[in-house]
Amino acid sequence: MENTSFEKTPFGIISPVVPEADLAREESDAEQTDGGEEDYFYFRALKEKGISLNQSQTKAVRHGEGPFLALAGAGSGKTSVLVCRTGYLLAVRKIPAAHILLVTFTKKAAEEMKERIAALPGISAQAVRQLQVRTFHSFFLQLLRGQGYDQKMITSERFKHIIIKKKLKEAGFDGKYQPETLLSLYSSYRMNNLSLAEMPAENPMEIEQKGVFRRYEAWKKEEHQLDFDDILCHAYELLCESETLLRKMQERFKYIMVDEFQDTNPLQYEMMKMLSASHKNLFVAGDDDQTIYSFNGAQSEIILEFDKEFPTAEMATLDVNYRSTSPITGLGNEVIRHNTNRREKTLKSTVMSQTYPLYFRAETTDEEAKLAAADILHKVQNDGRSFADFAVLHRTASVSRAMFEQLTLHQIPFLSFTTVDQMFYNQWPIKAVMDHLRLALNPYYNEALPEVLPTLFINREKGMLHIKRLEAVGEQAEPLELLQSLGGLRTFQVGKLQERERLLKQLKPMKPKQAIKKMRETFYDTYLEANEAQAETMHKEGVKETLDELESSAGRFDSVLAFVSFVDDMVEMYKGMQKKTQAAKTDAVSLMTIHRAKGLEFPVVYLIGASETILPHSSAVKASGSKDFIKKSNESEEKALEEERRLAYVAITRAKEELYIGSPAQYRGKAVEVSRFFLEAFPHATQKRRQPMEQQPEERKIVKAWLCTNEDCIVWVKIQTQEDDTLQEKTCPICKSKMEKGEKEVIIAQRRNGRR
């Protein structure tokens, strides 16, 4: 590694000053409740319950009629404000509970708020029952049910994928599109308030997609089913079509509050405006600096232009972070202040600390992951931490590949929070490559063919049916050879089949990294470029990134067999892990994307991959000139970069006590700089080091370990307990080979300047 030390500044920066937020001053009870004798009892009762509100929070809680924006910085007590304002309306303003609507985005958040409201002083159980504290979907589904909608809900994403696959086959597009791609695109159109008729159909691909959408809608109507987007779309249509229903809803819900307002999409916002149109009592709470869901339809302009939509709106800025220490809060301030399209605010902290965010610069993502995993183990074994104290955050699934493997190899319990079937090796560009390698090892491995056939531009269903028919009558030839007799094949397709057979025979003796390169150079990159419908599943740049990371992973192995075995074992371990409970009390590290981490907090956070082309992602850096799917949102480079910077800010502000930021020096086989977001956070830097830092002396030690006897396997497991040391035998967790006791030399990372 270039350098395995933890530093107080990022690699390339020497600065006499490190970011640190100002401490928030303590406010007296008189300051907190000044100006409202009639409500003093309420705030005093809150105080007795251990709930103290600062002046900005108190202003928001006291708000009566009219629109209001609570601009809530990270960790600033937004939920407390929404809960206490609800209590204030009930206990002080004597508003009937049935007139109050509080909407949020997750069932968990809604349940937590209702529980906290119930615990407030002076709030009766009857009032809590009458309150409407719901998610957007729950609230509007209740509306639909009340209007006679009795369709069955489609609650499984996997089931929706199956239906779309069937519709693709019916339309003759089997294998041409990924179901999750079409569903995501369709959802994006609908949440931007576009009807099916209004969706674009300007080129053959859009016409095909629109045709699949029509088939999906026809299926839902025929089967009498609704998906989650239908809830909002049908509710909106109802409110538009029935003035009587809209008026009834407006008269009932006279006080409307919206949580996480920055995450609302245009359709949700439009419905909130409709419900509050007669009284304008719309209270919204959110943070423009945490708008990171543009791919789901969220638009930062909605929260930024709230006062333009409602010129009489009042506002309070919640600028005290109660979650993070002053150094962590200060780093967040310095990172996000470089965004220009935002409401200016500088957060203060209530937690003074001498523990500063630390940075590390490993050579590769694999070395970065090794260092982070070893540090987690050290803290658990020596610092009294539990595994549940830790979160490892990453920008993309590709970056998490190395961390996933290291946590597994170190036998560290962890929960991976990713999209369904989106473990790195399960991503569709990877599966096709891996199945080619499996077919190279065993040309009769039919299970690999469904991913191989589309790359030969052969219909998956027809090809597999042809092979099965021939094998059923005793044909013994290899499947790719059998396919050459498939009816309707053109001469060039037969030639491609023969070329692919020859290529697979060449791949088997090669080193896996060279085998993957060979496939990409020979046909796969060209196939991806030609197959625009497939590549739209993720940015084209993202597809290349994923394949480059696959090459990096394969580079650790000497044979195709060893690599494929390793991947297969990892996939099986992933399946097993997904079956584990994700209960709150599970003592396990959380491995998740930054997007999934939003709204959560952890004592210790590792942000991995804080390097250029990872965070900010290469697709954002190149957004202004690319033709990628990202352009469907008309994102300029500046807009895309600002969302990436907000992602970095969200990652930073998940940490309560300790924050570690890794910036690998190489990614996708190329040298990469430390993320600009963290270099910008040090405006007082006196020197930028462009050469690698002078190698620090490494402390090494010999540890007892179980070593895999399979020479193709890289696994070893440190002996940590007396029980482990007394075992007579052990099986490798990856390749299942026998392990034997031995010794391993390990590097201990040096910690410098962690405190001052």
Side-chain angles (χ1 to χ4, degrees):
M1 285 187 287
E2 252 180 325
N3 177 54
T4 56
S5 299
F6 287 96
E7 301 277 351
K8 275 174 66 175
T9 58
F11 174 78
I13 289 289
I14 295 177
S15 176
V17 179
V18 294
E20 189 166 1
D22 291 337
L23 286 176
R25 70 182 183 88
E26 293 186 13
E27 297 175 1
S28 67
D29 291 348
E31 287 179 306
Q32 293 171 343
T33 57
D34 183 41
E37 287 297 325
E38 73 281 359
D39 60 14
Y40 181 72
F41 77 92
Y42 179 70
F43 292 102
R44 183 177 59 190
L46 289 181
K47 187 84 171 178
E48 291 172 355
K49 283 275 189 178
I51 304 172
S52 295
L53 302 176
N54 62 39
Q55 280 188 301
S56 295
Q57 291 173 324
T58 302
K59 176 183 176 181
V61 167
R62 276 183 168 146
H63 178 70
E65 274 66 37
F68 192 95
L69 169 61
L71 193 62
S76 62
K78 168 177 60 65
T79 302
S80 293
V81 165
L82 289 166
V83 166
C84 292
R85 181 175 188 253
T86 303
Y88 189 90
L89 291 174
L90 294 169
V92 180
R93 300 285 310 284
K94 305 301 181 182
I95 304 299
H99 289 334
I100 300 172
L101 170 63
L102 173 53
V103 290
T104 187
F105 281 84
T106 68
K107 182 180 178 181
K108 181 180 177 182
E111 291 173 347
E112 179 191 345
M113 285 193 193
K114 200 155 190 176
E115 288 175 5
R116 291 176 62 175
I117 292 169
L120 291 175
I123 306 302
S124 69
Q126 181 181 0
V128 174
R129 285 194 297 271
Q130 292 176 341
L131 277 173
Q132 290 291 308
V133 184
R134 293 179 175 269
T135 65
F136 277 96
H137 290 89
S138 171
F139 175 73
F140 286 110
L141 179 60
Q142 179 181 247
L143 172 64
L144 293 180
R145 296 300 191 210
Q147 297 300 307
Y149 283 69
D150 60 354
Q151 292 95 324
K152 183 180 178 182
M153 285 301 306
I154 305 172
T155 58
S156 167
E157 283 297 310
R158 186 179 294 278
F159 182 64
K160 285 166 63 177
H161 291 176
I162 292 171
I163 299 304
I164 292 296
K165 282 183 179 179
K166 289 181 178 178
K167 300 304 132 185
L168 285 167
K169 284 183 180 180
E170 291 173 7
F173 304 142
D174 183 31
K176 189 172 183 180
Y177 295 92
Q178 292 291 313
E180 61 267 29
T181 304
L182 293 185
L183 288 169
S184 176
L185 179 61
Y186 191 35
S187 179
S188 176
Y189 286 142
R190 300 181 80 191
M191 293 304 99
N192 276 280
N193 214 3
L194 287 178
S195 67
L196 187 54
E198 295 170 325
M199 292 175 194
E202 299 175 1
N203 57 54
M205 188 171 71
E206 290 178 342
I207 293 170
E208 289 175 357
Q209 292 168 345
K210 199 168 181 176
V212 176
F213 299 154
R214 284 200 181 96
R215 288 174 182 270
Y216 178 52
E217 287 299 324
W219 178 87
K220 286 189 292 182
K221 186 175 182 180
E222 182 179 340
E223 297 296 324
H224 204 57
Q225 301 208 26
L226 294 176
D227 64 22
F228 282 105
D229 287 345
D230 287 328
I231 294 173
L232 301 184
C233 292
H234 289 325
Y236 176 70
E237 291 168 2
L238 270 178
L239 294 176
C240 288
E241 293 168 1
S242 174
E243 288 188 18
T244 302
L245 176 62
L246 178 58
R247 195 179 311 112
K248 180 181 176 182
M249 297 290 285
Q250 291 171 341
E251 289 174 355
R252 177 178 175 185
F253 297 109
K254 296 180 178 179
Y255 294 86
I256 299 173
M257 290 177 276
V258 182
D259 185 24
E260 301 288 4
F261 183 61
Q262 76 282 345
D263 294 336
T264 52
N265 59 48
L267 182 58
Q268 291 166 331
Y269 186 32
E270 188 61 33
M271 289 195 285
M272 290 298 102
K273 288 191 291 184
M274 292 173 73
L275 292 182
S276 62
S278 64
H279 48 69
K280 296 292 190 297
N281 293 334
L282 180 60
F283 183 107
V284 299
D287 183 8
D288 57 302
D289 289 333
Q290 296 186 65
T291 307
I292 59 173
Y293 292 116
S294 64
F295 61 88
N296 275 346
Q299 297 178 3
S300 58
E301 290 79 12
I302 290 177
I303 189 169
L304 290 173
E305 298 177 4
F306 183 78
D307 50 349
K308 292 182 181 178
E309 183 72 35
F310 298 95
T312 61
E314 294 184 45
M315 187 176 82
T317 300
L318 311 184
D319 60 359
V320 178
N321 184 327
Y322 294 95
R323 172 192 301 149
S324 306
T325 64
S326 53
I328 294 173
T329 303
L331 177 61
N333 287 337
E334 285 299 320
V335 167
I336 201 61
R337 75 179 180 85
H338 292 277
N339 271 5
T340 57
N341 190 34
R342 65 185 291 260
R343 290 180 182 269
E344 187 174 344
K345 53 189 172 296
T346 302
L347 300 191
K348 298 180 283 291
S349 173
T350 61
V351 185
M352 189 174 186
S353 175
Q354 298 299 307
T355 300
Y356 290 82
L358 297 178
Y359 305 81
F360 57 106
R361 176 76 159 169
E363 186 68 28
T364 65
T365 54
D366 284 292
E367 293 297 327
E368 175 188 57
K370 287 179 184 178
L371 180 58
D375 199 50
I376 290 171
L377 267 182
H378 176 83
K379 284 179 165 60
V380 170
Q381 294 167 358
N382 299 287
D383 297 348
R385 290 286 187 188
S386 63
F387 288 116
D389 288 341
F390 299 90
V392 182
L393 308 184
H394 52 89
R395 172 65 178 86
T396 64
S398 297
V399 180
S400 72
R401 187 271 311 165
M403 197 69 225
F404 184 102
E405 293 174 1
Q406 286 302 314
L407 290 172
T408 300
L409 295 175
H410 280 77
Q411 297 186 325
I412 296 174
F414 72 101
L415 295 172
S416 179
F417 299 85
T418 59
T419 308
V420 176
D421 285 339
Q422 288 304 296
M423 173 207 177
F424 177 76
Y425 294 113
N426 280 338
Q427 294 183 67
W428 70 263
I430 300 294
K431 289 172 74 174
V433 174
M434 293 305 303
D435 277 340
H436 273 85
L437 293 179
R438 293 182 180 102
L439 205 58
L441 293 171
N442 177 7
Y444 291 94
Y445 186 62
N446 285 1
E447 291 180 30
L449 292 172
E451 297 296 330
V452 171
L453 292 180
T455 70
L456 290 159
F457 298 97
I458 294 175
N459 181 275
R460 183 182 283 138
E461 188 174 17
K462 290 180 180 178
M464 293 303 296
L465 184 61
H466 180 74
I467 291 170
K468 289 177 181 178
R469 283 173 177 170
L470 292 179
E471 289 179 340
V473 297
E475 290 286 352
Q476 299 295 316
E478 295 176 5
L480 290 187
E481 187 176 338
L482 294 177
L483 278 171
Q484 295 173 33
S485 61
L486 178 64
L489 286 187
R490 298 178 182 178
T491 303
F492 87 89
Q493 287 178 297
V494 175
K496 289 292 183 185
L497 277 167
Q498 294 169 347
E499 288 178 13
R500 193 66 56 85
E501 276 191 284
R502 291 192 292 270
L503 174 64
L504 290 173
K505 287 180 172 62
Q506 295 171 21
L507 298 180
K508 185 174 181 179
M510 297 174 71
K511 290 193 174 184
K513 183 174 182 177
Q514 279 64 49
I516 295 170
K517 282 183 177 291
K518 182 74 173 177
M519 278 190 280
R520 294 183 67 179
E521 293 168 358
T522 305
F523 74 91
Y524 198 57
D525 282 356
T526 304
Y527 161 73
L528 292 175
E529 284 293 328
N531 196 2
E532 185 179 0
Q534 283 272 27
E536 195 180 342
T537 299
M538 52 180 78
H539 309 321
K540 289 179 183 177
E541 185 67 24
V543 174
K544 292 178 182 176
E545 173 188 12
T546 300
L547 293 173
D548 288 346
E549 183 64 11
L550 180 64
E551 286 186 17
S552 297
S553 178
R556 300 170 296 162
F557 297 85
D558 291 327
S559 71
V560 171
L561 176 60
F563 180 53
V564 171
S565 298
F566 177 82
V567 170
D568 288 346
D569 284 326
M570 280 291 168
V571 171
E572 287 305 310
M573 286 184 177
Y574 175 73
K575 290 178 181 177
M577 180 203 65
Q578 290 295 87
K579 294 177 182 178
K580 290 182 179 180
T581 177
Q582 294 188 4
K585 294 183 180 179
T586 300
D587 187 24
V589 174
S590 295
L591 176 63
M592 59 178 63
T593 64
I594 301 171
H595 286 101
R596 287 296 301 268
K598 187 176 169 296
L600 303 177
E601 59 184 40
F602 303 90
V604 187
V605 168
Y606 294 82
L607 172 59
I608 58 175
S611 296
E612 290 290 302
T613 74
I614 306 175
L615 182 67
H617 193 263
S618 53
S619 62
V621 175
K622 299 176 182 178
S624 60
S626 73
K627 295 182 180 179
D628 287 353
F629 187 53
I630 197 169
K631 290 295 287 180
K632 289 189 179 295
S633 300
N634 296 317
E635 287 184 317
S636 66
E637 181 173 352
E638 180 182 358
K639 189 172 183 180
L641 275 174
E642 292 213 345
E643 178 142 345
E644 292 291 307
R645 190 177 280 109
R646 290 195 291 269
L647 273 170
Y649 175 74
V650 167
I652 292 165
T653 53
R654 298 314 92 198
K656 296 171 65 177
E657 301 166 16
E658 299 179 48
L659 174 63
Y660 300 88
I661 300 161
S663 301
Q666 290 188 37
Y667 188 59
R668 302 171 63 183
K670 298 178 182 177
V672 287
E673 296 287 337
V674 173
S675 170
R676 69 188 72 184
F677 302 148
F678 295 96
L679 297 180
E680 292 168 346
F682 291 82
H684 304 290
T686 56
Q687 178 184 353
K688 289 193 175 183
R689 300 191 296 266
R690 290 300 178 188
Q691 297 302 316
M693 289 188 291
E694 186 177 322
Q695 183 69 36
Q696 300 298 320
E698 295 175 336
E699 182 183 344
R700 295 172 178 265
K701 71 174 182 179
I702 303 296
V703 298
K704 290 183 178 181
W706 286 96
L707 310 175
C708 183
T709 56
N710 182 349
E711 61 181 17
D712 288 325
C713 185
I714 61 175
V715 175
W716 63 275
V717 178
K718 182 181 176 183
I719 295 175
Q720 302 179 50
T721 65
Q722 184 66 32
E723 180 182 358
D724 201 17
D725 195 20
T726 57
L727 289 176
Q728 297 302 309
E729 58 182 30
K730 192 177 182 72
T731 301
C732 176
I734 298 299
C735 73
K736 310 307 180 195
S737 298
K738 181 181 178 181
M739 301 187 86
E740 59 184 22
K741 288 182 185 178
E743 294 181 337
K744 189 77 176 177
E745 184 179 55
V746 296
I747 299 171
I748 303 173
Q750 298 298 296
R751 298 166 185 274
R752 299 191 296 113
N753 301 325
R755 300 172 183 268
R756 73 174 188 189

